[in-house]
Structure formats: C-alpha cells, structure tokens
Amino acid sequence: MDHNQNWYRRGELNYATRIRQVLSLAPDFLEIVTWNDAGESHYFGKIWPDSIAGTNIQTYTDGYDHSGWQKLLPPFIKAYKAGIKDVSSLIPSDGKAVSGVFWYRPLLKSASCINDFMGKPRGWMNAEDNFNLVVLADARASEYTINIYSGYDMLAWYRPVQGLNSWSIPGLRIGSQSIEIVDINGRVIASGKGTMTVIGDMSHGVCNYNYQVVGF
C-alpha cells in the first residue's frame, strides 16, 4: 500500500442494511463477495498469505479476523432462497437462543497517527467511534436483555425483537469491548469480548482503521 491507496470508507451497519434491502427487493440473483483485496478490510473469509506476499498489507490484517460476520449468513441465505422478506425469520441457525456479531475500530477517530509515514487515511473524518452490533434472536426475544460494555463501563442496553436486530452505538471508549446477553432470570445466554482494546492514539506502527469483528 502507498499514499494512493490510503483511504477510508465508512461501513458501520452497511452489512445489516444490505440484508434487509436484499430480502425486501428479492433479486433473482445474489452474489456475496467474501474476499476482494485484503487491504480493503471487507473480507469475510480467510486471507491467503501468498496473495499479499511482499506487501505491507499484512500489517493491516494480522489479528483482524472477520469470520464473525459469517454468523449472519446461514439464516439470511435460507430466507433469501425461500423468498421470505420479513427479517423476523432470521433466527439463529445453530439452535441457540441468540447469536450475532459486533465490530468496532480499535483506534479512535481522534488519533493523530503522526508516526505513520502515510498519515491518516483520506476520508478519516467520516469515521465514527461506534460499537456496531447485529443480534439474531428467537421467539423468546422479549425476555432477553443485551448489555454492551465499552471501556469497562456499560455503553448501552437493549431489548431485542425476534429476528434481525442491529444497532450502531456512538461513544466508543478506550479499553476493552464486550457484550453480554441475559435471559429473564439473569442467566447469561450469550457473550463476546474483543481481542483488541480501543486506544486513543498509536505510539508506533500503522494508522489502522480496520475493524475488529467478534462473533458470538
């Protein structure tokens, strides 16, 4: 990568938005591109090292596993093939009461990135310090509470509905990021924790706006 390739496009809840749009429009054909250029950070699957050998792209992708996004695909594909348009049909396909994925950028928008020779990416001002979350819930959804933690404090809590739920929560804080879903009795039925903490700036290395993606 060089200065000509150093750019950022906001994603946030684009994934969940496209799922709703596809089911609503019901196109005859649908192609899911799970991998294009690893440096563009929108991969769903594995990154093949031989394709980026001799480049600095690995610096942007090492430790940034995006396979958690695959959690949403089985129920979505099933609904699409059946011609179902109602997202309430998107319940966990693995027999669990709830499942889903959350993602966030471990580097805050306000970072100076003065130690990266390329500096901040073009379009950085469009970034949002948000905790993005998609939850699939079964018919007992109204009995569940979703607790979101950022920087060791509770950032928000929600009551889901059956099917597809999505939120983009502003105010991401420095520190660890996690989610906990409890049932009506307070029992934890699902949880997830990011492997990367959010930092305010970088003392060395690259200015990386890639997402940390956590499936649960």
Side-chain angles (χ1 to χ4, degrees), residues 152-171:
Y152 310 103
D153 296 319
M154 182 178 286
L155 182 63
W157 66 271
Y158 297 99
R159 291 279 173 80
V161 296
Q162 178 180 325
L164 179 71
N165 300 263
S166 60
W167 300 274
S168 187
I169 309 148

Side-chain angles (χ1 to χ4, degrees), residues 187-203:
R187 181 174 61 94
V188 176
I189 57 175
S191 63
K193 184 175 183 179
T195 60
M196 292 184 178
T197 58
V198 170
I199 59 175
D201 211 337
M202 41 173 287
S203 58

